[in-house]
Amino acid sequence: MPEISKSSVVGAAPEGANDTRSAARAVREMFTSIAPRYDLLNHVLSFNVDRLWWRGAARAFRHILSRPDARILDLCCGTGDMTFALQRQAAKDSLQILGADFSHAMLARAAAKSAPATGNKAIPRWIEADALNLPFPDGHFDLVTSAFGFRNLADYDSGLREILRVLRADGECGILDFGEPSGAMGMLYRFYFKQVLPRVGTLISGVRGPYAYLPASVERFPPPEEMLSRMKGAGFVEATWTPYTFGIAGLYRGKK
């Protein structure tokens, strides 16, 4: 079977999915199945480095988070860790922040974590929504983020266009997601990601599919230069990528 060029990839493609609708359904089912152990596995499998990535991404947008009237959307929020990282960087309690995901089980976990995670800050609101068809008017948000969720969309370009649609003029987006480092670090990373992580993830969660899907989804995801090209094609300007931890993860930024 010929290798698929990443530039021709539409979006996520879980095993057995043959179109965008079935891909979206498979992704929702996978994340629902691992919701009870999702946080534990994230921290264990990343050696807690994921906390630094969320914090670093949130700090990159302090100039927006410091505005008391800013509207923030954290897309594909899962159990809310990126949402909470944004909330902690906010200077005012009046900041309006929403966490959106299409997995009800993930949102239930996020809501349960809300009070202790935010301390005396305003608690984020949670909404069940499809990232490719958001229930918000045009030009509604000052910032839209997505941490380790955008890669799972069934259509990357449609996702970018939908983010652009709901952003205000001069609004910004931040997409934090995995990459594939090069050199010796890349070799170690690929061995861990393809051989160790699926086994440990399956052992702890009791579910095989999601942790076999994870390395395949990262390998399928466009590399930085391709992702930046897609962002520009969707209409973003000042598109940049900042690598984290030797390029294991990275933050894509763009402005409307």
Coordinates of all heavy atoms in Angstrom, one line a residue, residues 174-235:
G174 N -4.4 29.3 19.6 CA -3.2 28.5 20.0 C -3.5 27.0 20.0 O -4.5 26.6 20.7
I175 N -2.8 26.3 19.2 CA -3.0 24.8 19.1 C -1.7 24.1 19.6 O -0.7 24.2 19.0 CB -3.3 24.4 17.7 CG1 -4.6 25.1 17.2 CG2 -3.4 22.9 17.5 CD1 -4.8 24.9 15.7
L176 N -1.9 23.5 20.8 CA -0.8 22.7 21.4 C -1.0 21.3 21.1 O -2.0 20.7 21.3 CB -0.8 22.9 22.9 CG 0.2 22.2 23.8 CD1 1.6 22.6 23.4 CD2 -0.1 22.4 25.3
D177 N 0.0 20.7 20.4 CA -0.1 19.3 20.0 C 1.2 18.6 19.9 O 2.3 19.3 20.0 CB -0.9 19.1 18.7 CG -1.9 18.0 18.8 OD1 -1.5 16.9 19.3 OD2 -3.1 18.2 18.5
F178 N 1.2 17.3 19.8 CA 2.4 16.5 19.6 C 3.1 16.8 18.3 O 2.5 17.1 17.3 CB 2.1 15.0 19.8 CG 1.8 14.6 21.2 CD1 0.5 14.2 21.5 CD2 2.7 14.7 22.2 CE1 0.2 13.8 22.8 CE2 2.4 14.3 23.5 CZ 1.2 13.8 23.8
G179 N 4.5 16.5 18.3 CA 5.2 16.5 17.1 C 6.1 15.3 17.0 O 6.0 14.4 17.9
E180 N 7.0 15.3 16.1 CA 8.0 14.2 16.0 C 9.4 14.7 15.9 O 9.8 15.2 14.9 CB 7.7 13.4 14.7 CG 6.4 12.6 14.8 CD 6.2 11.6 13.7 OE1 6.1 12.0 12.5 OE2 6.3 10.4 14.0
P181 N 10.1 14.7 17.1 CA 11.5 15.2 17.1 C 12.4 14.4 16.2 O 12.1 13.3 15.8 CB 11.9 15.1 18.6 CG 11.0 14.0 19.1 CD 9.7 14.1 18.3
S182 N 13.5 15.1 15.8 CA 14.5 14.4 14.9 C 15.7 13.9 15.7 O 15.8 14.2 16.9 CB 14.9 15.4 13.8 OG 15.5 16.5 14.4
G183 N 16.6 13.3 15.0 CA 17.9 12.9 15.6 C 17.7 11.8 16.6 O 16.7 11.0 16.6
A184 N 18.7 11.7 17.6 CA 18.7 10.7 18.6 C 17.4 10.8 19.5 O 16.8 9.7 19.9 CB 19.9 10.8 19.5
M185 N 17.0 12.0 19.8 CA 15.8 12.2 20.6 C 14.6 11.6 19.9 O 13.7 11.0 20.5 CB 15.6 13.7 20.9 CG 14.3 14.0 21.7 SD 14.1 13.1 23.2 CE 15.4 14.0 24.2
G186 N 14.6 11.8 18.6 CA 13.5 11.3 17.8 C 13.4 9.7 17.8 O 12.3 9.2 17.9
M187 N 14.6 9.1 17.8 CA 14.6 7.6 17.8 C 14.1 7.1 19.2 O 13.3 6.2 19.2 CB 16.0 7.2 17.6 CG 16.5 7.4 16.2 SD 18.3 7.0 16.0 CE 18.2 5.2 16.2
L188 N 14.5 7.7 20.3 CA 14.1 7.4 21.6 C 12.6 7.6 21.7 O 11.8 6.8 22.3 CB 14.8 8.1 22.7 CG 16.3 7.7 22.9 CD1 17.0 8.7 23.8 CD2 16.4 6.3 23.4
Y189 N 12.1 8.7 21.3 CA 10.7 9.1 21.3 C 9.9 8.1 20.6 O 8.8 7.7 21.1 CB 10.6 10.5 20.8 CG 9.2 11.0 20.5 CD1 8.3 11.4 21.6 CD2 8.6 11.0 19.2 CE1 7.0 11.8 21.3 CE2 7.3 11.4 19.0 CZ 6.5 11.8 20.0 OH 5.3 12.2 19.8
R190 N 10.3 7.8 19.4 CA 9.4 6.9 18.6 C 9.4 5.5 19.2 O 8.3 4.8 19.2 CB 10.0 6.8 17.1 CG 9.5 8.0 16.3 CD 9.9 7.9 14.9 NE 11.4 8.1 14.7 CZ 11.9 9.3 14.6 NH1 11.2 10.4 14.6 NH2 13.2 9.5 14.4
F191 N 10.5 5.0 19.8 CA 10.5 3.7 20.5 C 9.5 3.8 21.6 O 8.7 2.9 21.8 CB 11.9 3.4 21.0 CG 11.9 2.1 21.8 CD1 11.8 0.9 21.2 CD2 12.0 2.2 23.2 CE1 11.8 -0.3 21.9 CE2 11.9 1.0 23.9 CZ 11.9 -0.2 23.3
Y192 N 9.6 4.8 22.5 CA 8.7 4.9 23.6 C 7.3 5.0 23.2 O 6.4 4.4 23.7 CB 9.1 6.2 24.4 CG 8.1 6.5 25.6 CD1 8.1 5.7 26.7 CD2 7.2 7.5 25.5 CE1 7.2 5.9 27.7 CE2 6.3 7.8 26.5 CZ 6.3 7.0 27.6 OH 5.4 7.2 28.6
F193 N 7.0 5.9 22.2 CA 5.6 6.2 21.8 C 5.0 5.0 21.1 O 3.8 4.8 21.3 CB 5.7 7.4 20.8 CG 4.6 8.4 21.0 CD1 4.3 8.8 22.3 CD2 3.8 8.8 19.9 CE1 3.3 9.8 22.5 CE2 2.8 9.8 20.1 CZ 2.5 10.2 21.4
K194 N 5.7 4.2 20.3 CA 5.2 3.1 19.6 C 5.2 1.8 20.3 O 4.4 0.9 20.1 CB 5.9 3.0 18.2 CG 5.6 4.1 17.3 CD 6.3 3.9 16.0 CE 6.0 5.0 15.0 NZ 6.6 4.8 13.6
Q195 N 6.2 1.6 21.2 CA 6.4 0.3 21.9 C 6.0 0.3 23.3 O 5.3 -0.6 23.8 CB 7.9 -0.1 21.7 CG 8.4 -0.2 20.3 CD 7.6 -1.3 19.5 OE1 7.2 -2.3 20.0 NE2 7.4 -1.0 18.2
V196 N 6.4 1.3 24.1 CA 6.1 1.4 25.5 C 4.8 2.0 25.9 O 4.0 1.4 26.6 CB 7.3 2.2 26.2 CG1 7.0 2.2 27.7 CG2 8.6 1.5 25.9
L197 N 4.5 3.2 25.3 CA 3.3 3.9 25.7 C 2.0 3.1 25.5 O 1.1 3.0 26.3 CB 3.2 5.2 25.0 CG 2.0 6.1 25.3 CD1 2.5 7.6 25.2 CD2 0.9 5.9 24.3
P198 N 1.8 2.4 24.3 CA 0.6 1.6 24.1 C 0.4 0.5 25.1 O -0.7 0.3 25.5 CB 0.8 1.1 22.7 CG 1.7 2.0 22.0 CD 2.7 2.4 23.1
R199 N 1.5 -0.1 25.5 CA 1.4 -1.2 26.4 C 1.0 -0.7 27.8 O 0.2 -1.3 28.5 CB 2.7 -2.0 26.5 CG 3.0 -2.8 25.2 CD 4.4 -3.5 25.3 NE 4.5 -4.5 24.2 CZ 5.0 -4.1 23.0 NH1 5.3 -2.9 22.7 NH2 5.1 -5.1 22.1
V200 N 1.7 0.3 28.3 CA 1.4 0.9 29.6 C 0.0 1.5 29.6 O -0.8 1.3 30.6 CB 2.4 2.0 30.0 CG1 2.1 2.6 31.3 CG2 3.8 1.4 30.1
G201 N -0.4 2.2 28.6 CA -1.7 2.8 28.5 C -2.8 1.8 28.6 O -3.8 1.9 29.2
T202 N -2.6 0.7 27.8 CA -3.6 -0.4 27.8 C -3.7 -1.1 29.1 O -4.7 -1.4 29.6 CB -3.2 -1.4 26.7 OG1 -3.2 -0.8 25.4 CG2 -4.2 -2.6 26.7
L203 N -2.5 -1.3 29.8 CA -2.5 -2.0 31.1 C -3.2 -1.2 32.2 O -4.0 -1.8 32.9 CB -1.0 -2.1 31.5 CG -0.8 -2.8 32.9 CD1 -1.3 -4.3 32.8 CD2 0.7 -2.8 33.3
I204 N -3.0 0.1 32.2 CA -3.7 1.0 33.2 C -5.1 1.2 32.9 O -6.0 1.1 33.8 CB -2.9 2.3 33.4 CG1 -1.5 2.0 33.9 CG2 -3.7 3.2 34.3 CD1 -0.6 3.3 34.0
S205 N -5.4 1.5 31.6 CA -6.8 1.8 31.3 C -7.7 0.6 31.1 O -8.9 0.7 31.2 CB -6.8 2.6 30.0 OG -6.5 1.8 28.9
G206 N -7.1 -0.5 30.7 CA -7.9 -1.7 30.4 C -8.5 -1.7 29.0 O -9.3 -2.5 28.7
V207 N -8.1 -0.7 28.2 CA -8.7 -0.5 26.9 C -7.5 -0.4 25.9 O -6.7 0.5 26.1 CB -9.6 0.8 26.8 CG1 -10.2 0.9 25.4 CG2 -10.6 0.8 27.9
R208 N -7.5 -1.2 24.9 CA -6.4 -1.2 24.0 C -6.4 -0.1 22.9 O -5.5 0.6 22.6 CB -6.3 -2.6 23.3 CG -5.1 -2.6 22.3 CD -5.1 -3.9 21.5 NE -4.0 -3.8 20.5 CZ -4.1 -3.2 19.3 NH1 -5.2 -2.7 18.9 NH2 -3.1 -3.2 18.4
G209 N -7.6 0.0 22.3 CA -7.7 0.9 21.1 C -7.1 2.3 21.2 O -6.3 2.7 20.3
P210 N -7.4 3.1 22.2 CA -7.0 4.5 22.2 C -5.4 4.6 22.3 O -4.9 5.5 21.7 CB -7.6 5.0 23.5 CG -8.8 4.2 23.7 CD -8.5 2.8 23.2
Y211 N -4.8 3.7 22.9 CA -3.3 3.8 23.1 C -2.6 3.2 21.9 O -1.4 3.4 21.8 CB -2.9 3.3 24.5 CG -3.5 4.3 25.5 CD1 -4.6 4.0 26.2 CD2 -2.8 5.5 25.8 CE1 -5.2 4.9 27.1 CE2 -3.4 6.4 26.7 CZ -4.5 6.1 27.3 OH -5.1 7.0 28.2
A212 N -3.2 2.4 21.1 CA -2.7 2.0 19.8 C -2.9 3.1 18.8 O -2.0 3.4 17.9 CB -3.3 0.7 19.3
Y213 N -4.0 3.8 18.9 CA -4.4 4.9 18.0 C -3.4 6.1 18.2 O -3.1 6.8 17.2 CB -5.8 5.3 18.2 CG -6.2 6.7 17.8 CD1 -6.4 7.0 16.4 CD2 -6.3 7.8 18.6 CE1 -6.8 8.2 15.9 CE2 -6.6 9.0 18.2 CZ -6.9 9.3 16.8 OH -7.2 10.5 16.4
L214 N -3.0 6.4 19.5 CA -2.3 7.6 19.8 C -1.0 7.8 18.9 O -0.9 8.9 18.3 CB -2.0 7.7 21.3 CG -1.1 8.9 21.7 CD1 -1.8 10.2 21.4 CD2 -0.9 8.8 23.2
P215 N -0.1 6.9 18.9 CA 1.1 7.1 18.1 C 0.8 7.2 16.6 O 1.5 7.9 15.9 CB 2.0 5.9 18.4 CG 1.1 4.9 19.0 CD 0.0 5.6 19.7
A216 N -0.2 6.4 16.1 CA -0.6 6.5 14.7 C -1.1 7.9 14.4 O -0.9 8.5 13.3 CB -1.6 5.5 14.4
S217 N -1.9 8.5 15.3 CA -2.4 9.8 15.1 C -1.4 10.9 15.0 O -1.5 11.9 14.2 CB -3.5 10.2 16.1 OG -2.9 10.4 17.4
V218 N -0.3 10.8 15.8 CA 0.8 11.7 15.8 C 1.6 11.6 14.5 O 2.0 12.6 13.9 CB 1.7 11.5 17.0 CG1 2.9 12.4 17.0 CG2 0.9 11.8 18.3
E219 N 1.8 10.4 14.1 CA 2.6 10.1 12.9 C 1.8 10.7 11.7 O 2.4 11.2 10.7 CB 2.8 8.6 12.7 CG 3.7 8.3 11.6 CD 4.1 6.8 11.6 OE1 3.2 6.0 11.9 OE2 5.2 6.4 11.3
R220 N 0.5 10.6 11.7 CA -0.4 11.1 10.6 C -0.5 12.6 10.6 O -0.7 13.2 9.5 CB -1.7 10.5 10.8 CG -2.7 10.8 9.7 CD -4.1 10.1 9.9 NE -5.1 10.5 9.0 CZ -5.3 9.9 7.8 NH1 -4.5 9.0 7.4 NH2 -6.2 10.3 7.0
F221 N -0.3 13.3 11.8 CA -0.6 14.7 11.9 C 0.5 15.5 11.1 O 1.6 15.1 11.0 CB -0.5 15.1 13.3 CG -1.0 16.5 13.6 CD1 -2.3 16.8 13.3 CD2 -0.2 17.5 14.2 CE1 -2.8 18.1 13.6 CE2 -0.7 18.7 14.5 CZ -2.0 19.0 14.2
P222 N 0.0 16.6 10.4 CA 1.0 17.3 9.6 C 2.2 17.8 10.4 O 2.0 18.3 11.5 CB 0.1 18.5 9.0 CG -1.3 18.0 9.1 CD -1.3 17.1 10.3
P223 N 3.4 17.8 9.8 CA 4.6 18.4 10.4 C 4.4 19.9 10.5 O 3.5 20.5 9.8 CB 5.7 18.0 9.5 CG 5.1 17.9 8.2 CD 3.7 17.3 8.4
P224 N 5.2 20.6 11.3 CA 5.0 22.1 11.5 C 4.9 22.9 10.2 O 4.0 23.7 10.1 CB 6.3 22.5 12.3 CG 6.6 21.2 13.1 CD 6.3 20.1 12.1
E225 N 5.8 22.7 9.2 CA 5.7 23.5 8.0 C 4.4 23.3 7.3 O 3.8 24.2 6.7 CB 6.9 23.2 7.1 CG 7.0 21.8 6.6 CD 7.8 20.9 7.5 OE1 8.0 21.2 8.7 OE2 8.2 19.8 7.1
E226 N 3.9 22.1 7.3 CA 2.6 21.8 6.6 C 1.4 22.4 7.4 O 0.5 22.9 6.8 CB 2.4 20.3 6.5 CG 1.1 19.8 5.9 CD 0.8 20.2 4.5 OE1 1.8 20.4 3.7 OE2 -0.3 20.4 4.1
M227 N 1.5 22.2 8.7 CA 0.4 22.8 9.6 C 0.4 24.3 9.4 O -0.7 24.9 9.3 CB 0.7 22.4 11.0 CG -0.4 22.8 12.0 SD -2.0 22.0 11.6 CE -3.0 22.8 12.9
L228 N 1.5 25.0 9.4 CA 1.5 26.4 9.2 C 1.0 26.8 7.9 O 0.3 27.8 7.8 CB 3.0 27.0 9.4 CG 3.6 26.8 10.8 CD1 5.0 27.2 10.8 CD2 2.8 27.7 11.8
S229 N 1.3 26.0 6.9 CA 0.7 26.3 5.5 C -0.8 26.2 5.6 O -1.5 27.0 4.9 CB 1.3 25.3 4.5 OG 0.7 25.5 3.2
R230 N -1.3 25.2 6.3 CA -2.8 25.0 6.4 C -3.4 26.2 7.1 O -4.5 26.6 6.8 CB -3.1 23.7 7.1 CG -2.8 22.4 6.2 CD -3.1 21.2 7.0 NE -2.8 20.0 6.3 CZ -3.7 19.1 5.8 NH1 -5.0 19.4 5.9 NH2 -3.3 18.0 5.1
M231 N -2.7 26.6 8.2 CA -3.3 27.8 8.9 C -3.4 29.0 8.0 O -4.4 29.7 8.1 CB -2.4 28.0 10.1 CG -2.5 27.0 11.2 SD -1.4 27.3 12.6 CE -2.2 28.6 13.4
K232 N -2.3 29.3 7.3 CA -2.3 30.4 6.4 C -3.4 30.2 5.3 O -4.1 31.2 4.9 CB -1.0 30.6 5.7 CG 0.1 31.0 6.7 CD 1.5 31.0 6.1 CE 2.6 31.2 7.1 NZ 3.9 31.1 6.6
G233 N -3.6 29.0 4.8 CA -4.6 28.7 3.8 C -6.0 29.0 4.4 O -6.9 29.3 3.6
A234 N -6.2 28.7 5.7 CA -7.5 28.9 6.3 C -7.8 30.4 6.5 O -8.9 30.8 6.7 CB -7.6 28.2 7.6
G235 N -6.7 31.3 6.5 CA -6.9 32.7 6.7 C -6.2 33.3 7.8 O -6.3 34.5 8.1

